Amino acid sequence: MSIRIGILGYGNLGRGVECAIRQNDDMELAAVFTRRDPASVHILTEHVPVYDVSKLESYQDKIDVLLLCGGSATDLPVQTPEYVKYFNVVDSFDTHAKIPQHFANVDKAAKESGKIGMISVGWDPGMFSLNRVYADAVLPEGATYTFWGKGVSQGHSDAIRRIEGVADAKQYTIPVPKALDQVRNGEMPQLSTRQKHTRECFVTVKEGADLAKIEKEIKEMPNYFADYDTTVHFISQEELNKNHSGIPHGGVVLRSGKTGHQLEHQHVIEYSLKLDSNPEFTASILVAYARAAYRMNQEGQCGCKTVLDVAPAYLSRQSADALRQTML
Amino acid sequence: MSIRIGILGYGNLGRGVECAIRQNDDMELAAVFTRRDPASVHILTEHVPVYDVSKLESYQDKIDVLLLCGGSATDLPVQTPEYVKYFNVVDSFDTHAKIPQHFANVDKAAKESGKIGMISVGWDPGMFSLNRVYADAVLPEGATYTFWGKGVSQGHSDAIRRIEGVADAKQYTIPVPKALDQVRNGEMPQLSTRQKHTRECFVTVKEGADLAKIEKEIKEMPNYFADYDTTVHFISQEELNKNHSGIPHGGVVLRSGKTGHQLEHQHVIEYSLKLDSNPEFTASILVAYARAAYRMNQEGQCGCKTVLDVAPAYLSRQSADALRQTML
């Protein structure tokens, strides 16, 4: 019997989940739920219904795991504790500083309902977190570094778009090659924000816009750009559409550490991602953790879980026996 | 209270475990057990006893986890099922083809005794296995590649030393750069054994040895060298001691896969290790999994486990709360 998946929210992430389910033959898409007019939402899978979100609770017997594909700012803090009352849920809550509070809220509701609430699933938080924890546990004396990019930061692109005179924008976060090299060589450098990443912006403007003023506003924007070396390119909308329409991303988690009686030996652990589509890759991770949530709940587990609480075998389509034979 | 660790077998791996325990302040070395004359075994830690292996069973109340630091060929198949009757144990059993049988033996004994038998811990099997499973679960449509090196293969070095006229030898396994590049570019190539790795041998010979004959014997040795492009360098013992006395190793697990409605997006996941000391790094992993074995047993779990059965949080010195705050 397939694991029946529901999707709440049909944006880039929800569509990515829909595509990922098709790659996992032990799963099926049961229904998509939306806050928009369901008649206006056209999904890629035939014969799967799209319902108004108000119908969700009545679907309790037809969905094994509900994947919450909303945003971390306002959707998930409300939705995850709410829907874990009725379903095993998986979310991609990625506001790192607020994870402890979100965990507490979801854990309380999930323990009351007997369901699994799997939070902060994706690649950071997510696969990168795993790698930070594994590497730190294995090399206690060392330093861990996370670099992001080269990739599109949606938040930074949005910030540029809010500047007066800007029509459209795409911002790339790029690791500084020299910093990466130092870390890979085991030098364990102390790196400032500016030394770790640069920011490159491609901007189209409205007629009569003051380019110098826009560039200055971008480069001096606190939190977003002021602490970075930032490059601004003004280009045409055609060029933006042609060369910058994708949502690539990626990054690297590195730990270098020392072992031996006199700490005489050095080791470098590196985990890196190169992603053509950030939302589709994130969605693929959500789907693998939906399988884990289903299995853990079948075993009688409940409460809030993160990727740190899930043994790798739960994620795989293969049985434990098969994994030991083919993957170990 | 510290986790009390016992070591059985004091070779390179056992010494590595001893050093790793010093880096983990929640652990202490309780005793070392050996099959040699204990008086002849000098360990690095003061005030820790070295006992004959026959004393092991009487130490049941003084050791929380026993780390088995023997070899996979003859030691571990006997020791792990035997000592899991009395202790939580961790081993580095690395004969991939025999893991299912070893698992079954250890699982039976561990379930009878109520202990945890953690097997096949290290980096391959071990951290590489984890990464194969995670990457395969996240990108179901794709291909996984494992490359080893550049590093010293003890088995291949030993095989050369058995050739008539050879005094000493060190063999390096080296990934083929072109193959690595193809995989990193997402080309998903079909690679033969020869296309994936080359082998480089540094050999010292006895007086009057026939160099041409030795080189031919190495290059044509079935299983070990015949399927590879192999280079042989004859050097002096001084040079071997000076430049090839370490035991470095490493390698890469790569998976490239596709997502999207038409599989239009490509992703590459890469996990790589660069290790100055293979046995010390392996030992550091064993020690982290000793912590996991202890905690899982404290929770009432028992039976045979592999790295695929262990949630990452069990490995860390930090609490689950702290991990969510700092690492997630």
Side-chain angles (χ1 to χ4, degrees), chain A:
Chain A
M1 212 192 69
S2 290
I3 303 172
R4 300 164 301 173
I5 306 287
I7 294 173
L8 173 57
Y10 194 73
N12 284 333
L13 187 60
R15 200 175 301 112
V17 166
E18 182 185 15
C19 295
I21 290 169
R22 293 156 48 106
Q23 297 188 298
N24 290 281
D25 56 17
D26 60 341
M27 298 191 178
E28 61 182 275
L29 178 58
V32 171
F33 298 87
T34 179
R35 287 176 298 194
R36 291 180 272 167
D37 172 9
S40 74
V41 175
H42 302 286
I43 69 170
L44 302 166
T45 315
E46 287 183 0
H47 312 304
V48 168
V50 179
Y51 293 121
D52 187 86
V53 63
S54 62
K55 293 258 175 67
L56 235 177
E57 288 166 37
S58 66
Y59 254 69
Q60 230 182 310
D61 297 335
K62 300 194 182 70
I63 289 175
D64 296 309
V65 188
L66 178 67
L67 270 59
L68 303 174
C69 299
S72 296
T74 55
D75 298 333
L76 299 175
V78 178
Q79 289 176 349
T80 313
E82 172 61 20
Y83 291 113
V84 82
K85 294 177 187 168
Y86 313 100
F87 302 98
N88 298 308
V89 301
V90 181
D91 82 19
S92 64
F93 185 78
D94 66 357
T95 312
H96 288 262
K98 295 185 178 168
I99 287 174
Q101 184 57 54
H102 189 54
F103 184 92
N105 296 342
V106 175
D107 196 47
K108 184 167 179 294
K111 282 190 173 143
E112 282 168 17
S113 69
K115 302 290 186 186
I116 294 271
M118 189 86 73
I119 65 160
S120 300
V121 176
W123 58 274
D124 196 0
M127 305 311 289
F128 274 18
S129 321
L130 290 179
N131 277 281
R132 287 188 284 261
V133 169
Y134 278 123
D136 178 83
V138 166
L139 293 176
E141 299 194 30
T144 300
Y145 301 82
T146 302
F147 293 89
W148 296 275
K150 183 181 177 174
V152 171
S153 165
Q154 212 57 54
H156 288 76
S157 302
D158 290 345
I160 299 172
R161 283 191 209 102
R162 287 192 292 266
I163 294 173
E164 199 190 317
V166 169
D168 201 354
K170 212 75 179 247
Q171 192 270 180
Y172 295 91
T173 306
I174 306 169
V176 175
K178 189 190 158 198
L180 263 175
D181 286 346
Q182 287 179 313
V183 174
R184 284 189 177 127
N185 290 338
E187 296 172 29
M188 298 195 207
Q190 292 270 6
L191 296 168
S192 68
T193 298
R194 191 177 301 273
Q195 286 171 321
K196 284 185 72 185
H197 296 94
T198 53
R199 299 195 176 279
E200 190 170 22
C201 315
F202 294 87
V203 182
T204 69
V205 296
K206 295 171 185 160
E207 232 184 278
D210 181 342
L211 302 192
K213 186 160 168 283
I214 290 173
E215 181 164 344
K216 188 167 183 289
E217 246 185 273
I218 294 174
K219 289 186 171 176
E220 294 177 357
M221 196 183 296
N223 302 320
Y224 284 89
F225 293 100
D227 298 335
Y228 299 85
D229 289 337
T230 301
T231 317
V232 178
H233 308 278
F234 292 101
I235 61 173
S236 68
Q237 191 67 44
E238 289 75 24
E239 199 182 332
L240 193 79
N241 295 346
K242 186 175 162 233
N243 299 330
H244 305 284
S245 63
I247 320 178
H249 218 311
V252 189
V253 173
L254 281 149
R255 184 168 180 87
S256 72
K258 293 173 186 295
T259 65
H261 192 54
Q262 312 291 338
L263 300 182
E264 63 272 31
H265 292 125
Q266 184 160 289
H267 311 279
V268 179
I269 304 172
E270 174 166 353
Y271 178 80
S272 84
L273 297 174
K274 284 186 209 118
L275 313 174
D276 271 2
S277 165
N278 186 353
E280 285 179 9
F281 188 73
T282 300
S284 297
I285 302 172
L286 290 180
V287 166
Y289 278 91
R291 178 183 291 121
Y294 174 75
R295 288 179 176 172
M296 291 167 81
N297 190 243
Q298 291 284 102
E299 289 180 5
Q301 297 188 54
C302 68
C304 189
K305 307 285 177 188
T306 76
V307 297
L308 304 180
D309 305 310
V310 179
Y314 283 113
L315 302 174
S316 176
R317 306 176 300 298
Q318 295 189 49
S319 70
D321 275 348
L323 287 179
R324 282 191 293 272
Q325 271 173 42
T326 61
M327 298 273 222
L328 200 65

Side-chain angles (χ1 to χ4, degrees), chain B:
Chain B
M1 213 193 68
S2 290
I3 304 172
R4 299 164 302 173
I5 305 288
I7 294 174
L8 173 56
Y10 193 74
N12 283 332
L13 187 60
R15 200 175 301 112
V17 166
E18 182 185 14
C19 294
I21 290 168
R22 294 155 49 105
Q23 296 187 299
N24 290 279
D25 56 17
D26 60 342
M27 298 191 179
E28 61 183 273
L29 178 58
V32 171
F33 298 87
T34 178
R35 287 176 298 194
R36 290 180 274 166
D37 172 9
S40 74
V41 175
H42 303 286
I43 69 171
L44 302 166
T45 315
E46 287 184 0
H47 311 304
V48 168
V50 179
Y51 293 122
D52 187 86
V53 63
S54 62
K55 293 258 175 69
L56 235 177
E57 288 166 39
S58 66
Y59 255 69
Q60 232 182 309
D61 296 335
K62 300 193 181 72
I63 289 174
D64 296 310
V65 189
L66 179 67
L67 270 60
L68 304 173
C69 299
S72 296
T74 56
D75 298 334
L76 299 175
V78 177
Q79 289 176 349
T80 314
E82 173 61 20
Y83 291 114
V84 82
K85 293 178 188 168
Y86 313 100
F87 302 97
N88 298 308
V89 300
V90 181
D91 82 19
S92 65
F93 185 78
D94 67 357
T95 312
H96 288 261
K98 295 185 178 168
I99 287 174
Q101 185 58 54
H102 189 55
F103 183 93
N105 296 343
V106 175
D107 197 47
K108 183 167 180 293
K111 282 189 173 141
E112 283 168 16
S113 69
K115 302 290 186 185
I116 293 271
M118 190 85 74
I119 66 162
S120 299
V121 176
W123 57 274
D124 196 359
M127 304 312 290
F128 274 18
S129 320
L130 290 179
N131 277 281
R132 287 188 285 260
V133 169
Y134 278 122
D136 177 84
V138 165
L139 292 176
E141 298 194 30
T144 300
Y145 300 82
T146 303
F147 292 89
W148 296 275
K150 181 180 177 174
V152 171
S153 165
Q154 212 57 54
H156 287 76
S157 302
D158 290 345
I160 298 172
R161 282 191 209 104
R162 287 192 291 266
I163 293 173
E164 199 190 316
V166 170
D168 202 353
K170 212 76 178 246
Q171 192 271 180
Y172 296 91
T173 306
I174 306 168
V176 174
K178 190 190 157 198
L180 263 175
D181 286 346
Q182 288 179 313
V183 174
R184 286 190 176 126
N185 291 338
E187 296 172 30
M188 297 195 207
Q190 291 271 5
L191 296 169
S192 68
T193 298
R194 190 177 301 274
Q195 287 170 321
K196 284 185 73 185
H197 296 94
T198 53
R199 297 195 177 278
E200 189 169 22
C201 314
F202 294 87
V203 182
T204 69
V205 296
K206 296 171 186 163
E207 232 185 276
D210 181 343
L211 301 192
K213 186 161 168 281
I214 290 172
E215 181 164 345
K216 187 167 184 288
E217 247 185 273
I218 294 174
K219 290 186 171 174
E220 294 178 357
M221 198 185 296
N223 301 319
Y224 285 88
F225 294 100
D227 297 335
Y228 299 84
D229 289 337
T230 301
T231 317
V232 178
H233 308 278
F234 292 102
I235 61 174
S236 67
Q237 190 67 42
E238 289 74 25
E239 198 183 332
L240 193 79
N241 295 346
K242 186 174 161 232
N243 298 330
H244 305 284
S245 64
I247 319 177
H249 218 312
V252 189
V253 173
L254 281 148
R255 184 169 180 86
S256 72
K258 293 173 186 295
T259 65
H261 192 53
Q262 312 291 339
L263 300 181
E264 63 272 31
H265 293 126
Q266 184 160 291
H267 311 279
V268 178
I269 304 172
E270 175 167 353
Y271 178 80
S272 84
L273 296 174
K274 284 186 210 118
L275 312 174
D276 271 2
S277 165
N278 186 354
E280 285 179 10
F281 188 74
T282 300
S284 297
I285 302 171
L286 290 180
V287 166
Y289 278 91
R291 178 183 291 120
Y294 175 75
R295 289 179 175 171
M296 291 167 80
N297 190 242
Q298 291 284 103
E299 288 180 6
Q301 297 188 54
C302 68
C304 190
K305 308 285 177 188
T306 76
V307 297
L308 304 179
D309 305 310
V310 179
Y314 283 112
L315 302 174
S316 177
R317 304 176 302 297
Q318 295 188 49
S319 70
D321 275 348
L323 288 179
R324 282 190 293 271
Q325 271 174 41
T326 61
M327 298 273 221
L328 199 66

